[in-house]
Amino acid sequence: MDIMIHNLITSNKTRIKCKKYIRKLAVYKNLVAALTIDRVCIYELNSEETAKSPRYYVKWDGEVNLILLTSNHLLICLENRLLLFCLTNNTGSIEREWTFEADIKYLRVIGGAEKREALIGGLKNGEIYLIYIDNQFPVLIYQHEVPIRSLDVSCNRKRLAVVDENHDLFVIEISSKTVLWKDQKAKSVAFNSEIEDMIAFWYESNVYIKTADFPPTSEKMNGVIVGFRGTKVFLLQAMNNINVLDISHSTSIMKYTEKKNFDEAFKIASLGATSQEWLYLGFESLLEFNI
């Protein structure tokens, strides 16, 4: 079977000829991992976004729940265990292992310095951990009362979004463990990768966008939210198709402008405001002598 890589920003598509049955896939920057019958093959895309043969491989012939990649490591999730393999050697030996008291329900790589990347993980018992791949001891950052369904952290890692098995959404300040807001239903969630307090969540055929304390706006669209960048929400739909929803931030710009918070309005407008929205923001800030 072949692997099709679709760059959602440039719309470029790349086909990797694997020629083996693929059970799981993982992507991190220019690396692609494919779990086959007896091993995990890791491909490295070149500057032209192509790859012919695996650069690394790790022998593995058992079942897994999930595979993940970082710049130099492969991670394999097995129920309540997380195994770390180094990609710079092909011995297949485990470099580090974490074992938790409950099964891992959700894992996500949130980036970081090379060889020191971090993951966010949610367990069946409601515990949420920050895991650094160079540290044997995961950090418990929050204890939820319900099993975890989905997680994300904001771009500055100050806020945590939690969707539990009851489809309840919570946004939490990590340092103080304070629940900033809740009472929203969701099945998937993602913070905007450029704005700290902007979040997208999906529930019952609607994508909701919420900024700060303003009421959320919504647009009709089905799919699991897998990313939110600028004015684009990326949703995984049936048959593994990714759909891109282009959204408008005009409501957030107007709300911030009405509060005379022109700095935040400018940040939102910089994501991709229309000429009319820029004129509105410029005129209102000029009236307040905020130039």
Side-chain angles (χ1 to χ4, degrees), residues 130-143:
L130 185 63
I131 306 162
Y132 291 95
I133 63 171
D134 64 337
N135 192 325
Q136 182 64 43
F137 304 100
V139 180
L140 178 64
I141 60 173
Y142 192 73
Q143 174 66 67

Side-chain angles (χ1 to χ4, degrees), residues 56-268:
Y56 314 103
Y57 71 88
V58 174
K59 293 182 179 179
W60 188 273
D61 59 3
E63 293 296 324
V64 306
N65 296 104
L66 181 70
I67 63 172
L68 295 167
L69 276 173
T70 63
S71 57
N72 290 273
H73 292 86
L74 168 74
L75 295 112
I76 294 180
C77 177
L78 302 167
E79 296 181 344
N80 69 327
R81 298 168 60 207
L82 183 61
L83 312 179
L84 180 74
F85 297 83
C86 182
L87 297 181
T88 55
N89 62 69
N90 288 328
T91 62
S93 59
I94 299 172
E95 182 177 309
R96 184 168 287 111
E97 177 178 346
W98 298 269
T99 302
F100 300 92
E101 294 183 356
D103 287 352
I104 301 168
K105 298 288 290 182
Y106 187 87
L107 268 177
R108 185 172 190 161
V109 178
I110 58 175
E114 189 171 318
K115 298 182 181 180
R116 299 185 62 189
E117 289 93 348
L119 298 86
I120 190 80
L123 307 187
K124 190 174 182 179
N125 62 3
E127 293 179 344
I128 300 171
Y129 285 92
L130 185 63
I131 306 162
Y132 291 95
I133 63 171
D134 64 337
N135 192 325
Q136 182 64 43
F137 304 100
V139 180
L140 178 64
I141 60 173
Y142 192 73
Q143 174 66 67
H144 196 57
E145 297 178 353
V146 181
I148 305 302
R149 178 185 175 92
S150 180
L151 295 170
D152 197 16
V153 293
S154 59
C155 56
N156 295 325
R157 297 190 186 178
K158 293 181 179 180
R159 297 184 179 189
L160 171 70
V162 179
V163 177
D164 61 30
E165 289 292 342
N166 295 332
H167 303 306
D168 291 322
L169 172 62
F170 298 80
V171 173
I172 299 149
E173 186 178 61
I174 295 176
S175 60
S176 65
K177 308 293 190 296
T178 303
V179 177
L180 300 176
W181 56 270
K182 54 181 182 178
D183 298 326
Q184 299 282 354
K185 289 289 185 178
K187 292 185 178 179
S188 58
V189 64
F191 276 102
N192 193 298
S193 61
E194 300 176 50
I195 302 294
E196 178 73 14
D197 57 355
M198 181 181 292
I199 195 169
F201 55 97
W202 176 82
Y203 188 71
E204 299 300 335
S205 303
N206 285 289
V207 174
Y208 297 88
I209 308 297
K210 182 172 173 60
T211 304
D213 297 327
F214 307 141
T217 59
S218 66
E219 292 196 36
K220 284 283 185 183
M221 181 68 72
N222 272 316
V224 177
I225 296 176
V226 295
F228 183 21
R229 179 177 179 180
T231 60
K232 299 181 183 297
V233 180
F234 305 102
L235 298 107
L236 177 65
Q237 298 182 321
M239 304 300 292
N240 292 325
N241 292 322
I242 295 288
N243 200 359
V244 181
L245 174 64
D246 289 299
I247 61 171
S248 170
H249 293 308
S250 58
T251 301
S252 298
I253 294 171
M254 292 180 64
K255 292 291 185 181
Y256 274 126
T257 302
E258 290 171 1
K259 289 190 170 186
K260 314 302 180 186
N261 190 340
F262 298 107
D263 290 340
E264 292 300 322
F266 179 81
K267 290 180 184 178
I268 303 296

